[in-house]
Amino acid sequence: PVLILQVSICASYGVWLKGVTIRGHGEQPFMVDVCGGSMVHMLDCTVEGGGRPNVDGMGGAVGVRSDSQSKSELSVLEAERCSMVSGSRCGLQVVGRARAVLRHCRSCGCAGNGWMVEREGSSLAAWECEVSGNGESNVFVGWGASAALQGCSMQGSKWGRGLRMYGSGSAATLISCKLTGNKESNANIVVGASATLFACDLDGSEGNGLTVAGKGSFVTASATSISGCQESNVLVYAGGAAVLLGGCTCNNSKKGAGWRVHGSTSSLTVHASSAKGGAQDGCGYSEAEGGRILYL
């Protein structure tokens, strides 16, 4: 086994790392720093411990970023069967003009977010990864970034969300993902962000299952289960909009409704989906508080 204390790759270099442990120490904000149009390939690696947030909130066990001097170049991290854990800020950060491609990776037990993808030009693609049990949100996508996740697990955030999306232009597609048992909500799409969910599981949040809020925020879900949450299974408010297509189930809310739409500018469109057994005000199905629900 090889132990490395820090990796920094800049200026269009390419690096392969296989079977190494990268361990944090001291005050450095990143364990792996990829910038300036560089590319790093990681296979069977472990990145653990250390790192601290710097003044703009960045830092953690693995950071992927472009530097401010090279906005025209794309920095890339490709990782397979890697573990990125116990970061002081996050396990993985993709920021600026950067991209991360992950397969069978794991980011659990971070004090902050598991993964952060933020700012226009940043993107994340992940297959069969686990991002669970982190302190804040397991996955954060914001400020115009994009993500595509398939077969990923985002469960059990300690005080945040399974997926949090924030800001106009932020977009994500999730296929066959599991977002269950998170503290605030399993998926939180706000302030102009958008998401598409297909065949996902959003059951059993301590808050809402799916929250869509803010003008321009939009979610389309199909063949997705959003049931058994403590509050409402689906909450749309403050100008948000959602479409539940065939095969969505929003049943057995513990304290809320199957779906709730609040505010005259908020809307929910429902096709061949169910909302049974909600507890709010004795309502077993749904309620609209000034919002619009359209049944197709």
Side-chain angles (χ1 to χ4, degrees):
V2 177
L3 174 63
I4 300 175
L5 296 182
Q6 187 180 15
V7 177
S8 181
I9 303 97
C10 294
S12 302
Y13 289 109
V15 174
W16 284 83
L17 300 173
K18 181 177 180 181
V20 302
T21 296
I22 302 167
R23 183 169 299 161
H25 72 294
E27 293 294 310
Q28 76 269 23
F30 301 97
M31 303 305 102
V32 178
D33 188 7
V34 186
C35 59
S38 298
M39 177 175 287
V40 173
H41 302 265
M42 299 173 64
L43 176 64
D44 295 323
C45 294
T46 298
V47 184
E48 60 186 26
R52 59 171 178 78
N54 61 17
V55 293
D56 62 358
M58 298 194 299
V62 176
V64 180
R65 63 168 181 169
S66 63
D67 60 27
S68 59
Q69 305 299 317
S70 303
K71 294 182 179 179
S72 63
E73 296 180 309
L74 181 68
S75 300
V76 179
L77 170 72
E78 295 186 355
E80 185 170 356
R81 299 195 303 271
C82 292
S83 179
M84 298 167 280
V85 299
S86 300
S88 63
R89 177 59 181 164
C90 62
L92 167 70
Q93 185 176 50
V94 187
V95 62
R97 185 164 167 74
R99 182 174 69 209
V101 180
L102 309 179
R103 296 175 178 85
H104 305 285
C105 291
R106 182 175 182 269
S107 289
C108 301
C110 297
N113 298 295
W115 294 346
M116 295 181 69
V117 191
E118 51 187 345
R119 302 182 195 173
E120 185 178 357
S122 296
S123 66
L124 168 70
W127 291 266
E128 304 294 336
C129 294
E130 181 182 3
V131 197
S132 297
N134 296 290
E136 297 181 18
S137 296
N138 287 317
V139 176
F140 174 85
V141 181
W143 308 111
S146 63
L149 310 174
Q150 183 168 348
C152 294
S153 174
M154 294 161 271
Q155 303 180 76
S157 171
K158 294 177 181 178
W159 58 81
R161 295 95 171 174
L163 170 67
R164 176 167 170 78
M165 300 186 62
Y166 186 96
S168 177
S170 301
T173 299
L174 283 73
I175 300 173
S176 300
C177 291
K178 191 175 183 68
L179 302 86
T180 62
N182 294 286
K183 182 68 175 181
E184 287 196 23
S185 63
N186 288 326
N188 181 271
I189 318 299
V190 299
V191 196
S194 64
T196 300
L197 311 175
F198 178 75
C200 293
D201 182 353
L202 279 71
D203 292 347
S205 170
E206 293 187 38
N208 300 299
L210 171 64
T211 301
V212 187
K215 182 179 179 181
S217 300
F218 183 77
V219 172
T220 300
S222 56
T224 290
S225 178
I226 317 172
S227 296
C229 298
Q230 287 294 319
E231 304 298 333
S232 293
N233 292 320
V234 176
L235 173 63
V236 183
Y237 71 100
V243 177
L244 304 179
L245 299 176
C248 288
T249 56
C250 306
N251 302 330
N252 301 318
S253 168
K254 305 298 184 184
K255 298 178 181 178
W259 46 64
R260 172 182 290 180
V261 184
H262 183 81
S264 60
T265 59
S266 307
S267 67
L268 175 67
T269 302
V270 179
H271 174 260
S273 298
S274 64
K276 300 177 181 179
Q280 181 67 41
D281 298 327
C283 175
Y285 293 55
S286 63
E287 60 180 36
E289 300 169 340
R292 295 170 293 163
I293 299 180
L294 173 63
Y295 296 93
L296 299 180

